[in-house]
Amino acid sequence: MRPAHEWAFVAVGTQWWIGVYQPLSKDLFAQLKRTIGERIERFDATYSRFRPDSWVNHLARQPGTYALPPDARKLFTFYRALYELSGGTITPLIGEAFATEGYTATTPPLWDDVLSVGGQTITVRRPVLLDVGAAGKGFLVDAVGEVLRGQGVTHFCIDAGGDMYCNQLVTDMYIGLEHPADPAFIVGTATLRHGSICASAPSRRAWPGYHQIVNPFTLEPVQSWQAVWVVASNTLTADGLATALFLVPPERLSKHFIFEYCAVDSTNSVQWSPGFPGRPHTT
């Protein structure tokens, strides 16, 4: 099924595609583009580590108590749950360990030592650099979906660099699961009509000796999987758990979250949770 309207663009460092599977007026389509662009810009101005004027960089310069951005509480609540389930290995304070071209030899501080979130405020007891990369893009995809639904768009799909959210599609969207070492090889196929699928593969963002998934206590890159795909009802959950599964057993995460997953281990074996909506490659 082809979308009635679609557009592609680059934002927050990745390629986006949005397809709408219902007719829209020319004016509404143009309005959606503007509103979505504004929403993405607000996210970037808030959470980008690479913008000197961003909210997170302001917290990195000056301790104190600050108003939370309007929808940030949901993101920080999610991060706190992952922080506790992972014993602190999933943390927004991992930004303390990032350098321009990789990582410094600095372990991040403990959450309760430097950070507290309550009501609509956040308190930082010393300058800290927050990094929401493990779930931030999924959070933004959900926010863009809210913009679409708020304008009466009910049938659509968003793809932000492989993090996908589909809303009430009439037919299945078929998604090839690329092997991280060879994108020409498909390890399986997933189907999606409503909900999200996100992937994490360390090889896609790597530096000599490092990649983006690091144990903050050892500062060593995590080698448990080559790639992980997670299906959940929203993209924040799917994106965050696609990273968390490199550090936390699925049995522990499933006590708090509802999700399905597929993963490729170091021997190229593919594991599927029982309810994952897809099938392995058979050729």
Side-chain angles (χ1 to χ4, degrees):
M1 180 179 179
R2 293 186 60 83
H5 309 272
E6 61 182 320
W7 73 100
F9 56 95
V10 175
V12 293
T14 197
Q15 180 71 42
W16 289 65
W17 174 86
I18 300 176
V20 175
Y21 295 83
Q22 65 191 78
L24 304 175
S25 69
K26 183 178 179 181
D27 288 345
L28 178 55
F29 187 56
Q31 174 65 39
L32 282 171
K33 286 184 175 182
R34 288 193 298 271
T35 306
I36 287 171
E38 292 166 358
R39 182 64 186 89
I40 293 173
E41 167 60 21
R42 289 200 305 274
F43 174 88
D44 197 51
T46 302
Y47 298 109
S48 175
R49 293 186 297 111
F50 306 106
R51 289 179 55 156
D53 62 340
S54 71
W55 181 74
V56 295
N57 271 313
H58 188 61
L59 270 60
R61 291 189 293 268
Q62 183 67 42
T65 297
Y66 298 89
L68 280 172
D71 54 6
R73 186 163 183 82
K74 179 179 181 180
L75 181 59
F76 280 97
T77 299
F78 177 76
Y79 259 103
R80 182 68 194 203
L82 284 186
Y83 182 83
E84 293 179 354
L85 287 166
S86 69
T89 59
I90 304 294
T91 173
L93 297 164
I94 192 66
E96 295 284 282
F98 284 139
T100 302
E101 296 181 357
Y103 302 89
T104 66
T106 305
T107 57
L110 300 179
W111 184 308
D112 291 329
D113 286 348
V114 298
L115 186 68
S116 60
V117 180
Q120 294 302 313
T121 63
I122 183 170
T123 299
V124 291
R125 299 180 183 89
R126 70 165 178 81
V128 291
L129 180 59
L130 300 178
D131 185 280
V132 299
K137 188 168 60 166
F139 175 77
L140 179 57
V141 169
D142 288 341
V144 170
E146 291 171 5
V147 170
L148 289 162
R149 286 191 297 270
Q151 295 294 323
V153 180
T154 55
H155 307 290
F156 61 85
C157 185
I158 304 167
D159 181 353
D163 290 349
M164 298 184 66
Y165 175 74
C166 296
N167 195 84
Q168 298 184 25
L169 297 186
V170 176
T171 59
D172 287 336
M173 176 76 71
Y174 288 87
I175 302 153
L177 310 180
E178 296 179 355
H179 193 287
D182 183 4
F185 178 67
I186 302 299
V187 303
T189 304
T191 59
L192 195 66
R193 287 196 189 188
H194 187 81
S196 299
I197 183 168
C198 294
S200 185
S203 61
R204 299 299 171 86
R205 286 184 61 199
W207 301 267
Y210 284 99
H211 56 66
Q212 85 272 21
I213 303 176
V214 172
N215 184 313
F217 300 133
T218 66
L219 293 177
E220 293 295 325
V222 179
Q223 308 290 348
S224 52
W225 304 104
Q226 292 191 64
V228 171
W229 295 265
V230 171
V231 172
S233 62
N234 62 79
T235 327
L236 172 63
T237 299
D239 190 20
L241 297 191
T243 297
L245 281 167
F246 281 83
L247 292 154
V248 187
E251 297 80 12
R252 188 184 306 168
L253 292 172
S254 65
K255 294 178 180 179
H256 191 89
F257 299 104
I258 298 173
F259 68 98
E260 302 293 339
Y261 74 95
C262 169
V264 179
D265 68 17
S266 59
T267 68
N268 291 319
S269 296
V270 182
Q271 299 184 22
W272 301 69
S273 62
F276 189 86
R279 59 182 178 81
H281 196 273
T282 57
T283 60

